[in-house]
Amino acid sequence: MADARSAPESLPPAFLEFLQENGLDPMMYSMVDTIPRYIRLKPGMEPQIPEIQSELKCHLNKVSWLPDFYAIPPQVQIASSMAYQQGKIYGIDAASGAAVLALDVQPGEHVLDLCAAPDMLGGRGSLTGVDVAKHRLAACRTMLQKYSLGDRCRLFVADGTSFSILPVNSSLGNGEGLVGLHKCDALRPSADDEAQTSGYDKVLVDAECTHDGSIKHIQKFEFWGWKTLDRRVLDAERTDDLLHLQLRLLTNGFKLLKTGGSLVYSTCSLTVAQNENVVQQFLCKHSSAELQKIGSADSWPCRSGSIFKTLRFDPATSQTSGLFVAKFTKLQI
Ligand SMILES: C[S@@+](CC[C@H](N)C(=O)[O-])C[C@H]1O[C@@H](n2cnc3c(N)ncnc32)[C@H](O)[C@@H]1O
């Protein structure tokens, strides 16, 4: 059980109570200044590492278990650097990178990111990004332009629990992108059984959550005000709604997955309610869903979730932000 007496002093009592109720250790928030910051280097930019190191005034430590990822000291800011502005580096936590890697996207595959924001971008297939928040998709669009990925991606401001648009042309198998997209194709709603053959090869549901595992995010409440945390994280009604939303996002993402395809469900919460319990409820209702072992995870610095084949990253074990990851496949039934 968590020991509230050893928590960082700045954490408010209501949050400590939330952690205790969920069996989470408040000490993880004191690691915020010691766990590294992670960046992803644009593939092909390796020869420029010495120049980037000299600009950031720090060493880029290669993350051995995650291709293209480097660790830098937590206090290093990258947003104003030329390397960032020119799209050579991008800040993303290694655990989030692992969730994307778990999808194992192959060239030419159709990928759906149902709670898009910018982390998924940079994959090798065609990408459909959906997010209910316009400003999050605006950030994605900026990234698409910056990394010249536009011809392979499309973005929708939409509710991921009811989004129903299948990949545009499932015969697209060469990674050339979505050139030739017509509005009438894009807005055609899908039938349930159509998705089994013409659905997405890979789906990422990085669901909205309480973000309690994202220790850098929680630290920001010191500036935003702890009252905001009460409203956005601790409100019991909101938490109930969240659990419902997570299950609905997972359910709809799975509906849009083709038979034999893979779906990754992740959250940056470390509570059992938002992770294992959602997975369990989903599995009870979907006989065609099966948890899959994440092939590349053998070398990852994470631990098993309480359901076999699920994974948990946390600051103490992984030197990353907290993240829960579960991978499903869709069986022919
Ligand atoms: C944990 S964040 C995802 C972060 C993103 N994958 C990334 O790595 O940057 C959850 C996202 O879900 C979005 N969201 C919340 N409710 C949604 C819904 N009903 N449909 C689609 N997206 C939703 C939020 O706007 C937010 O961008």
Side-chain angles (χ1 to χ4, degrees), residues 90 92 96 100 113-120 130-137 140 158-162 204-209 211 242 245 249 266-268:
Y90 171 56
I92 162 175
S96 300
V100 175
D113 187 354
L114 210 50
C115 296
D119 281 359
M120 180 66 196
V130 176
D131 200 292
V132 82
K134 215 170 178 176
H135 70 281
R136 306 289 307 245
L137 277 189
C140 292
D159 185 339
T161 63
S162 55
L204 179 66
V205 180
D206 185 20
E208 180 74 357
C209 67
H211 303 291
L242 261 185
L245 174 65
L249 286 167
S266 60
T267 82
C268 61

Side-chain angles (χ1 to χ4, degrees), residues 15-221:
F15 187 56
L16 290 171
E17 207 174 297
F18 166 85
L19 296 174
Q20 192 157 23
E21 275 166 12
N22 287 285
L24 301 174
D25 185 353
M27 279 309 287
M28 72 176 147
Y29 301 96
S30 63
M31 297 181 70
V32 72
D33 297 325
T34 53
I35 67 165
R37 182 180 185 131
Y38 295 92
I39 55 171
R40 180 176 186 265
L41 184 71
K42 188 176 180 183
M45 290 291 152
E46 291 75 12
Q48 300 201 24
I49 288 178
E51 198 183 306
I52 297 171
Q53 291 184 147
S54 120
E55 190 194 5
L56 297 181
K57 298 188 179 56
C58 68
H59 188 72
L60 267 57
N61 290 305
K62 192 158 177 45
V63 178
S64 59
W65 53 276
L66 198 58
D68 305 322
F69 274 70
Y70 293 81
I72 59 176
Q75 68 280 5
V76 174
Q77 299 296 325
I78 63 165
S80 58
S81 71
M82 291 300 286
Y84 172 75
Q85 283 165 14
Q86 293 171 351
K88 296 175 187 170
I89 58 171
Y90 171 56
I92 162 175
D93 191 77
S96 300
V100 175
L101 188 66
L103 267 184
D104 191 23
V105 176
Q106 298 300 315
E109 286 188 331
H110 294 289
V111 182
L112 172 65
D113 187 354
L114 210 50
C115 296
D119 281 359
M120 180 66 196
L121 305 178
R124 294 182 287 163
S126 79
L127 176 64
T128 300
V130 176
D131 200 292
V132 82
K134 215 170 178 176
H135 70 281
R136 306 289 307 245
L137 277 189
C140 292
R141 189 178 54 191
T142 306
M143 297 234 358
L144 290 181
Q145 287 161 344
K146 194 164 166 185
Y147 294 97
S148 309
L149 296 168
D151 65 333
R152 293 188 287 125
C153 304
R154 56 186 188 160
L155 301 174
F156 295 90
V157 178
D159 185 339
T161 63
S162 55
F163 181 78
S164 62
I165 297 166
L166 295 179
V168 175
N169 173 1
S170 46
S171 66
L172 250 184
N174 53 10
E176 281 174 3
L178 298 173
V179 179
L181 169 67
H182 294 292
K183 201 175 172 188
C184 55
D185 293 330
L187 298 181
R188 186 169 52 94
S190 64
D192 272 13
D193 54 351
E194 198 183 349
Q196 290 179 16
T197 50
S198 307
Y200 294 88
D201 301 288
K202 304 281 161 70
V203 175
L204 179 66
V205 180
D206 185 20
E208 180 74 357
C209 67
T210 48
H211 303 291
D212 50 86
S214 179
I215 57 176
K216 290 194 172 113
H217 183 80
I218 294 296
Q219 190 192 34
K220 289 182 192 158
F221 284 99

Side-chain angles (χ1 to χ4, degrees), residues 245-264:
L245 174 65
Q246 288 156 348
L247 187 58
R248 287 176 65 209
L249 286 167
L250 174 54
T251 301
N252 195 41
F254 191 73
K255 181 176 155 193
L256 296 168
L257 185 69
K258 72 151 80 143
T259 302
S262 303
L263 179 150
V264 166

